[in-house]
Structure formats: structure tokens, C-alpha cells
Amino acid sequence: VPSIRGQLRFWWRALHAHRFDDSKALWEAESALFGRAADEGGGRSPVEVRVSVEKSGDVDPDDIQLYPKAGKPATPGAYALFPARAETGTGAKAAPRRKPGTTFTLELRGPGPVLNELHNVLRAWILFGGYGSRTRRGLGSLTVPGDRGEWLPKEPNLAELRRLLGDDVFAPASRAASETPRFAGATLLVGHTLSQKEMGIQTPMLSEAERAWLTALHWLRDFRQGTNTGARKKGAKKPSVSNWPEADVIRRLVPAEWTHEPRPEHRGTVRWPRAEFGLPIGFQFLDEGPHEKDKPVRFDLVWKDPSARGDEERERLASPLIVKAMPLADGKFVPIALWLDRAFPKGGVVVLRMGGKEVQRSEAPFDKLLGRGDTTLFKPLAGKTSLRDAFLDWLVDTGRARRIAG
């Protein structure tokens, strides 16, 4: 129940954040609905949440295969599941996951007007959210059994989303975006589900929901890592060389024995464009750069607010991008990419850490992670001022998805 209540709070904020002038007013309205720590005015929520599990999906104890190895195929969805893999260095076993198939009844009790307000929140959670870890990468996605017309769209279009949510929740708001992710001003793309053959997956046989999820997940994987998209160098002796600027920026900032000099296209200002996908981001150079005891030194992109007390580093900044399978009323699923509208942390800068210590001169303001005048080896970034535009335009321009809203 606490986990589901937390999800409902997130999607309530996403639906309503544009109505409030500041975070204090938003918090007061949210806590009046969902509850808060008790004070002189009390903090109990008028909404009671109950969950009854009818069936639990089987636990999958197998390790995550990031790549085909020793005759075993790569685990479908390994790009999202890699945090659950076993770690040989620490001896940690693979984290157990639930296979598809858990069914449960969610019951909300409270005053009528309050429950009416939560109908749209529930729909948003079912369509765009999930339960458990890494829901922004499509894990723990939901659907509704039985009569779905009240909760799910008949077609993946804006008219159906307006019918369900009561309004065009994606319409830009008059109030500027805050650091709270919101639907107002967000962008939604919908694609067509690929077959297993098109995705290069032989076994096991996947359901349509899993194929829709993997289609959306592979959009992100290919954009960040694919040789077919130009994200990585193709046909060279070291095909893993990244065409994103971050690796060359690290080579420029950190004195070490590097295999090659930073390429001319990445010798400009310090920039970390992938930070817009969310933080932290880890880097390791296996065959070059600084090593300790024959192990590569870990680099991490984190962020901080220089004006804040103590100038402390903050590791986590959740991704505004959601890639997943969206359920439809006919029982089918479609792959989607939803980029929620969110302002960068005010005054925040992205910084590089090496072995836990900040690298000097590695700061880059959030609003300058990508500039129109930047030269780059990864062509989808050319001429773009934000990663949001680069990724979403790439999906549309390559025919992978079409724009539904935003």
C-alpha cells in the first residue's frame, strides 16, 4: 500500500502541478489529499487504500545475461534489468524478479468528491506508470482485466486520452515549468510493435505486451549505444568507441594513458548531454585511462547546486523520460515514449567524479549540456539545443514513432 500510494502521489502531481504557483502550495494540496506527518492540524489522508493480491507472478531467479554467452541468449530487456544482475566481485546474487502475471484488486475508499479526483490519477498510473523498480524503463507495467473501456484508450490517440483524462492534459501551461515533472507541456510518442525477428530475439517466445515494452526500451538503448544509429563507432578495431562527447571530455579533463586523443569534434566546451536522461551515470574505460590494482577507475556524473548550503553533490536526478508498453482497451499494447515537462534544478550544475572525488573544471550548467553550435560525431545531436528534442525528433524522423501530443 505505501508503494502504491507513492505512485498515486507522483501521478497526481504530474496532472496538477501546473495549477500551482509554487512548491509549497502544491505540497499543501497534495498532503491534504494523500496525508502527511501529523501536526497541529492533523495529517491523516481522507483516502483509504487497500490491496488484495489474487495471484503472484512466478519469481525469476536466473541471472541477467547482458550479452549472448556460452550458448545462452541475452536476457530480453537486459538494458533495463542490468541493476538486478549478479556481481562476481561482491558475491551478490541476482535480484529476484516477478515474471508477468501478478493480478490484484486495488480498492480506494473515501468521500465521493475525493474519489472522483483520483479516477484520472489511477488512469494516468495505469497508462504511464507501474509498480516496483525502474518503472520509467517499463518494468512493472499495468493493465486492467475485464471491461477496460472506462480505464484504457480504444485507440492510441489524443482524442481517446482526452476522453479518459477529461481534458488535454498535454497542453502547455501558462505557468513556467518547475522541477516537478508534469503532463502540461509534455510530449508523447507512439510506435508500432516490432516482431521478435525484427528485434533479433530468438527465444523465449514473448507476449505482445513484452514485445511492445522491448520495442520502446530498444529505442532508448539504440539511441544511447547503437552502432546502427551512430551512437557508437562502427567497423573500427574498437567498435565500442562512443560517438557521444562525454568520453572525449573525460579524456581531456583527466591526465592518463589514453588510447587516443580527444577527437576534434569534442574539444569544445565541457558538456554532458546524457545527463538530461537522468543521474547518476557511470563510466569505466576497460583498456585505457586510469586504473587501480588492474581495475578501471569508476567515473560518475552527478549534480550539485553551488548556491546551496555546503555545495554538496547529489547523486540522483530521476529521468523525465518514460519508455514502456501502454495498454489498450482491446487487450493489445503499443510502445510509447513519454517525456514529462520539467525544469532543470535552478542553479544546478553537472559534475564529474573520479573514484569518488570531483574532477576540477568538470562543471557544466544544466541549461548548457547541449548547444546548437556544438560539433558532434553523433549526428542526431547536431543542431539541437536539448537532448529531449534530439531523442524525440530522431524517433519521428526515422519512422520509429509518431507524435501524439506535445
Side-chain angles (χ1 to χ4, degrees):
V1 168
S3 298
I4 291 177
R5 189 181 287 272
Q7 290 286 345
L8 297 180
R9 294 183 84 126
F10 175 88
W11 290 106
W12 182 89
R13 290 193 299 269
L15 284 168
H16 297 284
H18 66 285
R19 297 171 39 218
F20 297 90
D21 291 326
D22 53 47
S23 58
K24 184 176 184 295
L26 175 65
W27 162 249
E28 289 176 350
E30 177 190 338
S31 60
L33 180 61
F34 291 103
R36 60 175 180 264
D39 53 24
E40 62 275 7
R44 183 177 175 81
S45 170
V47 180
E48 182 181 351
V49 181
R50 296 183 180 182
V51 178
S52 175
V53 178
E54 280 86 42
K55 177 187 176 183
S56 294
D58 294 335
V59 173
D60 185 355
D62 295 336
D63 196 8
I64 306 299
Q65 292 282 135
L66 297 182
Y67 308 101
K69 186 178 180 180
K72 292 184 178 181
T75 302
Y79 183 73
L81 289 163
F82 75 90
R85 71 192 186 282
E87 297 182 4
T88 55
T90 62
K93 296 182 179 180
R97 290 90 53 203
R98 292 278 178 192
K99 294 180 180 180
T102 297
T103 58
F104 64 94
T105 297
L106 175 64
E107 183 179 352
L108 304 181
R109 294 187 175 191
V114 171
L115 294 182
N116 289 336
E117 184 176 354
L118 288 179
H119 281 178
N120 288 348
V121 179
L122 272 172
R123 292 187 182 102
W125 178 46
I126 295 166
L127 292 176
F128 304 112
Y131 177 84
S133 299
R134 296 182 69 75
T135 58
R136 285 175 171 84
R137 298 299 174 252
L139 300 183
S141 291
L142 307 166
T143 189
V144 179
D147 186 5
R148 304 177 177 92
E150 180 185 357
W151 298 100
L152 303 180
K154 299 174 183 176
E155 298 289 340
N157 57 42
L158 186 57
E160 275 295 287
L161 293 176
R162 283 174 174 166
R163 176 182 70 85
L164 289 171
L165 300 175
D167 196 3
D168 181 5
V169 298
F170 296 94
S174 58
R175 292 181 174 87
S178 68
E179 294 179 34
T180 300
R182 66 185 192 181
F183 279 110
T187 302
L188 175 64
L189 270 58
V190 175
H192 63 278
T193 300
L194 298 178
S195 67
Q196 289 192 210
K197 183 177 180 181
E198 289 173 308
M199 289 188 285
I201 300 174
Q202 302 301 322
T203 55
M205 295 303 296
L206 303 173
S207 67
E208 184 194 29
E210 290 171 302
R211 288 191 291 111
W213 164 55
L214 291 175
T215 298
L217 180 65
H218 289 180
W219 293 341
L220 179 59
R221 182 199 65 183
D222 291 348
F223 185 77
R224 295 187 67 152
Q225 299 184 353
T227 56
N228 60 325
T229 63
R232 306 189 82 80
K233 197 172 181 179
K234 189 176 183 180
K237 292 182 180 179
K238 285 185 177 259
S240 62
V241 173
S242 175
N243 284 331
W244 289 82
E246 290 92 344
D248 278 339
V249 173
I250 293 174
R251 293 184 180 101
R252 183 155 52 88
L253 291 173
V254 178
E257 293 185 10
W258 298 106
T259 302
H260 59 76
E261 293 294 318
R263 288 161 287 182
E265 292 85 353
H266 299 153
R267 289 179 182 169
T269 57
V270 172
R271 58 196 192 276
W272 314 107
R274 278 179 284 186
E276 200 172 335
F277 277 137
L279 294 171
I281 301 176
F283 300 88
Q284 285 185 324
F285 297 82
L286 299 180
D287 301 322
E288 60 174 334
H291 281 60
E292 289 182 358
K293 298 180 180 179
D294 296 327
K295 292 184 179 180
V297 173
R298 180 179 174 88
F299 294 91
D300 294 283
L301 285 179
V302 295
W303 72 281
K304 66 179 183 178
D305 180 359
S307 64
R309 182 175 58 188
D311 191 21
E312 67 212 25
E313 294 176 355
R314 306 180 191 183
E315 289 206 347
R316 180 152 175 78
L317 183 66
S319 175
L321 172 65
I322 296 170
V323 288
K324 71 182 299 286
M326 185 176 76
L328 301 178
D330 61 2
K332 295 182 179 180
F333 297 81
V334 290
I336 66 165
L338 171 64
W339 199 298
L340 295 169
D341 194 37
R342 183 187 69 188
F344 292 124
K346 189 174 181 180
V349 295
V350 180
V351 295
L352 180 70
R353 286 193 317 207
M354 182 180 76
K357 295 182 179 179
E358 182 179 332
V359 175
Q360 296 299 310
R361 302 184 303 280
S362 66
E363 293 185 359
F366 272 106
D367 58 357
K368 290 184 173 60
L369 297 178
L370 195 61
R372 193 177 297 278
D374 290 343
T375 57
T376 180
L377 293 166
F378 184 37
K379 299 308 179 186
L381 301 183
K384 305 297 182 181
T385 57
S386 74
L387 190 67
R388 171 177 173 165
D389 289 344
F391 176 67
L392 298 177
D393 288 351
W394 171 77
L395 284 177
V396 173
D397 294 343
T398 57
R400 288 171 168 84
R402 66 187 188 278
R403 196 178 298 264
I404 298 299

